[in-house]
Short mmCIF file of all heavy atoms in Angstrom, two decimals:
data_model
loop_
_atom_site.label_atom_id
_atom_site.label_comp_id
_atom_site.label_asym_id
_atom_site.label_seq_id
_atom_site.Cartn_x
_atom_site.Cartn_y
_atom_site.Cartn_z
N TYR A 165 69.16 99.36 82.76
CA TYR A 165 67.85 99.58 82.09
C TYR A 165 67.82 99.33 80.77
O TYR A 165 68.93 99.38 79.99
CB TYR A 165 67.63 101.06 82.42
CG TYR A 165 67.48 101.56 83.76
CD1 TYR A 165 68.59 102.18 84.52
CD2 TYR A 165 66.41 101.31 84.51
CE1 TYR A 165 68.48 102.41 85.79
CE2 TYR A 165 66.18 101.68 85.78
CZ TYR A 165 67.32 102.30 86.59
OH TYR A 165 67.22 102.78 87.73
N TYR A 166 66.66 98.90 80.16
CA TYR A 166 66.64 98.54 78.78
C TYR A 166 65.47 99.43 78.15
O TYR A 166 64.39 99.59 78.88
CB TYR A 166 66.44 97.09 78.52
CG TYR A 166 67.75 96.30 79.04
CD1 TYR A 166 67.60 95.67 80.25
CD2 TYR A 166 68.76 96.11 78.19
CE1 TYR A 166 68.82 95.07 80.85
CE2 TYR A 166 69.91 95.35 78.59
CZ TYR A 166 69.93 94.86 79.87
OH TYR A 166 71.08 94.32 80.32
N GLU A 167 65.47 99.68 76.86
CA GLU A 167 64.51 100.19 76.16
C GLU A 167 64.44 99.56 74.62
O GLU A 167 65.40 99.25 74.11
CB GLU A 167 64.45 101.70 76.14
CG GLU A 167 65.82 102.23 75.43
CD GLU A 167 65.93 103.76 75.55
OE1 GLU A 167 64.94 104.48 75.28
OE2 GLU A 167 67.03 104.22 75.87
N GLN A 168 63.35 99.76 74.07
CA GLN A 168 63.25 99.58 72.59
C GLN A 168 63.75 100.73 71.88
O GLN A 168 63.34 101.84 72.02
CB GLN A 168 61.85 99.22 72.14
CG GLN A 168 61.66 98.85 70.66
CD GLN A 168 60.22 98.48 70.27
OE1 GLN A 168 59.59 97.81 70.88
NE2 GLN A 168 59.89 98.91 69.09
N ARG A 169 64.73 100.38 70.90
CA ARG A 169 65.19 101.43 70.20
C ARG A 169 64.62 101.39 68.61
O ARG A 169 64.84 100.36 67.98
CB ARG A 169 66.76 101.25 70.12
CG ARG A 169 67.38 101.43 71.48
CD ARG A 169 68.96 101.41 71.48
NE ARG A 169 69.45 101.51 72.84
CZ ARG A 169 69.67 102.65 73.50
NH1 ARG A 169 69.17 103.75 72.86
NH2 ARG A 169 70.04 102.69 74.70
N GLY A 170 63.96 102.45 68.28
CA GLY A 170 63.38 102.47 67.01
C GLY A 170 62.36 101.47 66.89
O GLY A 170 61.60 101.18 67.78
N ASP A 171 62.43 100.70 65.79
CA ASP A 171 61.40 99.65 65.53
C ASP A 171 62.04 98.27 65.80
O ASP A 171 61.37 97.24 65.35
CB ASP A 171 60.92 99.70 63.99
CG ASP A 171 61.97 99.54 63.07
OD1 ASP A 171 63.23 99.38 63.50
OD2 ASP A 171 61.68 99.55 61.84
N ASP A 172 63.17 98.15 66.48
CA ASP A 172 63.88 96.90 66.71
C ASP A 172 63.27 96.25 67.93
O ASP A 172 64.00 96.04 68.94
CB ASP A 172 65.41 97.21 66.78
CG ASP A 172 66.12 95.82 66.90
OD1 ASP A 172 65.60 94.78 66.57
OD2 ASP A 172 67.40 96.03 67.18
N ARG A 173 62.11 95.79 67.89
CA ARG A 173 61.39 95.10 68.92
C ARG A 173 61.96 93.71 69.15
O ARG A 173 62.01 93.21 70.33
CB ARG A 173 59.97 94.87 68.70
CG ARG A 173 59.10 94.32 69.74
CD ARG A 173 57.63 94.65 69.67
NE ARG A 173 57.36 95.94 69.98
CZ ARG A 173 56.19 96.59 69.54
NH1 ARG A 173 55.30 95.92 68.89
NH2 ARG A 173 56.06 97.87 69.99
N ASP A 174 62.50 93.07 68.06
CA ASP A 174 63.14 91.76 68.27
C ASP A 174 64.31 91.77 69.29
O ASP A 174 64.47 90.90 70.09
CB ASP A 174 63.66 91.21 66.93
CG ASP A 174 62.48 90.69 66.05
OD1 ASP A 174 61.40 90.25 66.65
OD2 ASP A 174 62.66 90.52 64.67
N SER A 175 65.19 92.70 69.10
CA SER A 175 66.26 92.90 70.07
C SER A 175 65.80 93.20 71.41
O SER A 175 66.33 92.65 72.43
CB SER A 175 67.32 94.03 69.50
OG SER A 175 67.83 93.63 68.27
N PHE A 176 64.82 94.11 71.61
CA PHE A 176 64.23 94.53 72.81
C PHE A 176 63.83 93.30 73.59
O PHE A 176 64.02 93.14 74.76
CB PHE A 176 63.25 95.56 72.67
CG PHE A 176 62.65 96.08 73.88
CD1 PHE A 176 63.32 96.49 74.95
CD2 PHE A 176 61.16 96.07 74.13
CE1 PHE A 176 62.69 96.90 76.16
CE2 PHE A 176 60.54 96.48 75.18
CZ PHE A 176 61.43 96.97 76.21
N LEU A 177 63.04 92.43 72.87
CA LEU A 177 62.35 91.23 73.50
C LEU A 177 63.50 90.27 74.08
O LEU A 177 63.28 89.53 74.92
CB LEU A 177 61.48 90.55 72.59
CG LEU A 177 60.14 91.27 72.35
CD1 LEU A 177 59.51 90.75 71.21
CD2 LEU A 177 59.35 91.15 73.55
N ALA A 178 64.74 90.43 73.53
CA ALA A 178 66.00 89.45 73.90
C ALA A 178 66.88 90.19 74.95
O ALA A 178 67.92 89.56 75.08
CB ALA A 178 66.61 88.95 72.74
N CYS A 179 66.49 91.42 75.38
CA CYS A 179 67.59 92.10 76.19
C CYS A 179 67.96 91.43 77.42
O CYS A 179 69.04 91.70 77.97
CB CYS A 179 67.04 93.60 76.42
SG CYS A 179 65.61 93.64 77.51
N SER A 180 67.19 90.50 77.95
CA SER A 180 67.42 89.71 79.10
C SER A 180 68.80 88.86 78.84
O SER A 180 69.60 88.50 79.80
CB SER A 180 66.41 88.81 79.57
OG SER A 180 66.14 87.86 78.75
N ILE A 181 69.13 88.59 77.61
CA ILE A 181 70.40 87.93 77.41
C ILE A 181 71.61 88.84 77.66
O ILE A 181 72.48 88.28 78.30
CB ILE A 181 70.44 87.47 75.86
CG1 ILE A 181 69.36 86.38 75.57
CG2 ILE A 181 71.88 87.10 75.51
CD1 ILE A 181 69.14 86.02 74.19
N ASP A 182 71.43 90.09 77.43
CA ASP A 182 72.48 90.91 77.84
C ASP A 182 72.56 91.13 79.35
O ASP A 182 73.67 91.31 79.93
CB ASP A 182 72.20 92.44 77.17
CG ASP A 182 73.29 93.42 77.57
OD1 ASP A 182 74.32 93.41 77.06
OD2 ASP A 182 72.89 94.27 78.43
N MET A 183 71.44 91.04 79.99
CA MET A 183 71.43 90.95 81.48
C MET A 183 72.10 89.74 82.01
O MET A 183 72.93 89.88 82.97
CB MET A 183 69.94 91.01 81.85
CG MET A 183 69.71 91.37 83.46
SD MET A 183 68.08 91.35 83.83
CE MET A 183 68.01 91.93 85.49
N ASP A 184 71.88 88.68 81.42
CA ASP A 184 72.62 87.41 81.91
C ASP A 184 74.11 87.65 81.68
O ASP A 184 74.89 87.18 82.55
CB ASP A 184 72.07 86.25 80.99
CG ASP A 184 70.78 85.81 81.23
OD1 ASP A 184 70.21 85.87 82.48
OD2 ASP A 184 70.08 85.23 80.41
N ARG A 185 74.60 88.11 80.52
CA ARG A 185 75.99 88.34 80.34
C ARG A 185 76.61 89.29 81.35
O ARG A 185 77.79 89.14 81.83
CB ARG A 185 76.22 88.79 78.94
CG ARG A 185 75.81 87.72 77.86
CD ARG A 185 75.81 88.38 76.37
NE ARG A 185 75.47 87.37 75.39
CZ ARG A 185 75.17 87.65 74.10
NH1 ARG A 185 75.42 88.93 73.80
NH2 ARG A 185 74.93 86.69 73.19
N PHE A 186 75.91 90.41 81.68
CA PHE A 186 76.35 91.36 82.55
C PHE A 186 76.54 90.76 83.94
O PHE A 186 77.53 90.84 84.61
CB PHE A 186 75.26 92.50 82.70
CG PHE A 186 75.63 93.69 83.59
CD1 PHE A 186 76.80 93.92 83.98
CD2 PHE A 186 74.56 94.65 83.90
CE1 PHE A 186 77.16 95.15 84.62
CE2 PHE A 186 74.77 95.66 84.59
CZ PHE A 186 76.15 95.88 85.03
N ILE A 187 75.48 89.96 84.46
CA ILE A 187 75.68 89.22 85.69
C ILE A 187 76.92 88.28 85.78
O ILE A 187 77.61 88.27 86.63
CB ILE A 187 74.28 88.37 86.03
CG1 ILE A 187 73.18 89.36 86.22
CG2 ILE A 187 74.49 87.57 87.26
CD1 ILE A 187 71.80 88.88 86.32
N ASP A 188 76.99 87.51 84.68
CA ASP A 188 78.05 86.59 84.60
C ASP A 188 79.45 87.34 84.70
O ASP A 188 80.42 86.84 85.34
CB ASP A 188 78.08 85.79 83.33
CG ASP A 188 76.74 84.82 83.31
OD1 ASP A 188 76.35 84.43 84.44
OD2 ASP A 188 76.43 84.41 82.25
N ALA A 189 79.62 88.47 83.99
CA ALA A 189 80.79 89.18 84.10
C ALA A 189 81.17 89.66 85.40
O ALA A 189 82.27 89.62 85.87
CB ALA A 189 80.73 90.35 83.14
N VAL A 190 80.07 90.19 86.18
CA VAL A 190 80.40 90.79 87.52
C VAL A 190 80.77 89.65 88.36
O VAL A 190 81.64 89.78 89.37
CB VAL A 190 79.21 91.61 87.93
CG1 VAL A 190 79.38 91.95 89.31
CG2 VAL A 190 78.95 92.84 87.18
N ILE A 191 80.09 88.56 88.44
CA ILE A 191 80.43 87.38 89.17
C ILE A 191 81.90 86.93 88.88
O ILE A 191 82.57 86.68 89.83
CB ILE A 191 79.35 86.22 88.83
CG1 ILE A 191 78.06 86.52 89.32
CG2 ILE A 191 80.04 84.85 89.57
CD1 ILE A 191 76.98 85.55 89.04
N ALA A 192 82.32 86.91 87.65
CA ALA A 192 83.61 86.49 87.34
C ALA A 192 84.53 87.42 87.95
O ALA A 192 85.60 87.12 88.45
CB ALA A 192 83.76 86.41 85.86
N THR A 193 84.46 88.71 87.89
CA THR A 193 85.31 89.69 88.49
C THR A 193 85.35 89.61 89.93
O THR A 193 86.42 89.63 90.55
CB THR A 193 84.83 91.09 88.09
OG1 THR A 193 84.65 91.18 86.66
CG2 THR A 193 85.79 92.13 88.51
N ALA A 194 84.14 89.39 90.59
CA ALA A 194 84.17 89.25 92.03
C ALA A 194 84.96 88.05 92.44
O ALA A 194 85.75 88.09 93.44
CB ALA A 194 82.71 89.27 92.67
N ASP A 195 84.78 86.91 91.77
CA ASP A 195 85.51 85.77 92.13
C ASP A 195 86.94 85.88 91.84
O ASP A 195 87.78 85.12 92.40
CB ASP A 195 84.77 84.50 91.42
CG ASP A 195 83.58 84.10 91.82
OD1 ASP A 195 83.18 84.67 93.02
OD2 ASP A 195 82.76 83.36 91.28
N HIS A 196 87.37 86.62 90.79
CA HIS A 196 88.83 86.93 90.44
C HIS A 196 89.47 87.52 91.71
O HIS A 196 90.49 87.24 92.11
CB HIS A 196 88.94 87.78 89.35
CG HIS A 196 90.27 88.30 89.08
ND1 HIS A 196 91.38 87.60 88.75
CD2 HIS A 196 90.73 89.52 89.35
CE1 HIS A 196 92.44 88.37 88.70
NE2 HIS A 196 92.09 89.67 89.09
N VAL A 197 88.74 88.61 92.24
CA VAL A 197 89.23 89.23 93.45
C VAL A 197 89.37 88.33 94.61
O VAL A 197 90.28 88.25 95.37
CB VAL A 197 88.45 90.45 93.87
CG1 VAL A 197 88.81 91.16 95.07
CG2 VAL A 197 88.50 91.39 92.60
N ARG A 198 88.31 87.48 94.71
CA ARG A 198 88.38 86.36 95.82
C ARG A 198 89.59 85.46 95.74
O ARG A 198 90.24 85.20 96.73
CB ARG A 198 87.09 85.61 95.71
CG ARG A 198 87.10 84.46 96.69
CD ARG A 198 85.75 83.77 96.52
NE ARG A 198 85.62 82.57 97.40
CZ ARG A 198 85.74 81.32 97.08
NH1 ARG A 198 85.77 81.06 95.84
NH2 ARG A 198 85.60 80.33 98.03
N ALA A 199 89.94 85.08 94.40
CA ALA A 199 91.09 84.34 94.22
C ALA A 199 92.41 84.97 94.50
O ALA A 199 93.22 84.38 95.15
CB ALA A 199 91.09 83.74 92.80
N VAL A 200 92.50 86.14 94.08
CA VAL A 200 93.59 86.96 94.37
C VAL A 200 93.92 87.16 95.78
O VAL A 200 95.08 87.07 96.33
CB VAL A 200 93.70 88.31 93.51
CG1 VAL A 200 94.70 89.31 93.90
CG2 VAL A 200 93.70 88.03 92.07
N LYS A 201 92.91 87.38 96.55
CA LYS A 201 92.98 87.68 97.98
C LYS A 201 92.94 86.38 98.80
O LYS A 201 93.10 86.42 100.01
CB LYS A 201 91.83 88.65 98.38
CG LYS A 201 92.09 90.10 97.93
CD LYS A 201 90.89 90.92 98.59
CE LYS A 201 91.19 92.41 98.34
NZ LYS A 201 92.31 92.86 99.10
N ARG A 202 92.68 85.29 98.13
CA ARG A 202 92.60 83.95 98.84
C ARG A 202 91.66 83.91 100.07
O ARG A 202 92.04 83.58 101.11
CB ARG A 202 94.05 83.60 99.22
CG ARG A 202 95.04 83.45 98.15
CD ARG A 202 96.52 83.02 98.55
NE ARG A 202 97.29 82.70 97.63
CZ ARG A 202 97.93 83.45 96.69
NH1 ARG A 202 97.73 84.88 96.76
NH2 ARG A 202 98.76 83.06 95.70
N ARG A 203 90.50 84.45 99.74
CA ARG A 203 89.32 84.50 100.71
C ARG A 203 88.41 83.31 100.52
O ARG A 203 88.25 82.96 99.40
CB ARG A 203 88.58 85.87 100.63
CG ARG A 203 89.59 86.96 100.87
CD ARG A 203 90.06 87.13 102.36
NE ARG A 203 90.66 88.38 102.69
CZ ARG A 203 91.95 88.62 102.60
NH1 ARG A 203 92.78 87.64 102.05
NH2 ARG A 203 92.38 89.76 102.92
N ALA A 204 87.83 82.96 101.66
CA ALA A 204 86.79 81.91 101.55
C ALA A 204 85.53 82.42 101.12
O ALA A 204 84.63 81.78 100.63
CB ALA A 204 86.81 81.16 102.86
N LYS A 205 85.20 83.59 101.63
CA LYS A 205 83.91 84.14 101.42
C LYS A 205 83.48 84.65 99.99
O LYS A 205 84.66 84.98 99.29
CB LYS A 205 83.51 85.37 102.41
CG LYS A 205 84.05 86.71 101.88
CD LYS A 205 83.38 87.76 102.59
CE LYS A 205 83.82 89.09 102.13
NZ LYS A 205 83.13 90.30 102.84
N ARG A 206 82.38 84.58 99.56
CA ARG A 206 81.97 85.08 98.22
C ARG A 206 81.25 86.31 98.36
O ARG A 206 80.40 86.40 99.13
CB ARG A 206 81.10 83.93 97.57
CG ARG A 206 81.87 82.68 97.05
CD ARG A 206 80.96 81.90 96.19
NE ARG A 206 81.52 80.52 96.02
CZ ARG A 206 82.37 80.15 95.03
NH1 ARG A 206 82.85 81.24 94.22
NH2 ARG A 206 82.99 79.03 94.89
N VAL A 207 81.53 87.32 97.61
CA VAL A 207 80.72 88.57 97.45
C VAL A 207 79.69 88.25 96.55
O VAL A 207 79.96 87.90 95.34
CB VAL A 207 81.71 89.77 97.06
CG1 VAL A 207 80.79 90.93 96.71
CG2 VAL A 207 82.57 90.15 98.24
N ASN A 208 78.50 88.45 96.87
CA ASN A 208 77.42 88.23 95.97
C ASN A 208 76.82 89.49 95.36
O ASN A 208 77.49 90.55 95.42
CB ASN A 208 76.20 87.57 96.80
CG ASN A 208 76.59 86.08 97.15
OD1 ASN A 208 77.07 85.35 96.28
ND2 ASN A 208 76.20 85.71 98.24
#
């Protein structure tokens, strides 16, 4: 969840960049577990 903090509308308008980074981090973690376990399937 995201919200505008104080008068910092510039940062709020760019919060999807944080969302992108969050997604990329979770994908990387899931794929790390996949590699450790040597599994073919991907967890989405």
Side-chain angles (χ1 to χ4, degrees):
Y165 297 100
Y166 296 95
E167 63 182 314
Q168 181 175 321
R169 298 186 180 277
D171 61 357
D172 189 9
R173 183 164 287 162
D174 280 340
S175 293
F176 178 51
L177 286 166
C179 66
S180 65
I181 292 173
D182 181 76
M183 190 179 193
D184 288 329
R185 293 171 181 172
F186 186 16
I187 294 170
D188 291 341
V190 174
I191 290 172
T193 304
D195 287 349
H196 165 75
V197 177
R198 174 177 180 254
V200 169
K201 287 184 170 290
R202 295 174 173 81
R203 298 296 191 263
K205 85 165 188 179
R206 293 185 187 276
V207 168
N208 288 317

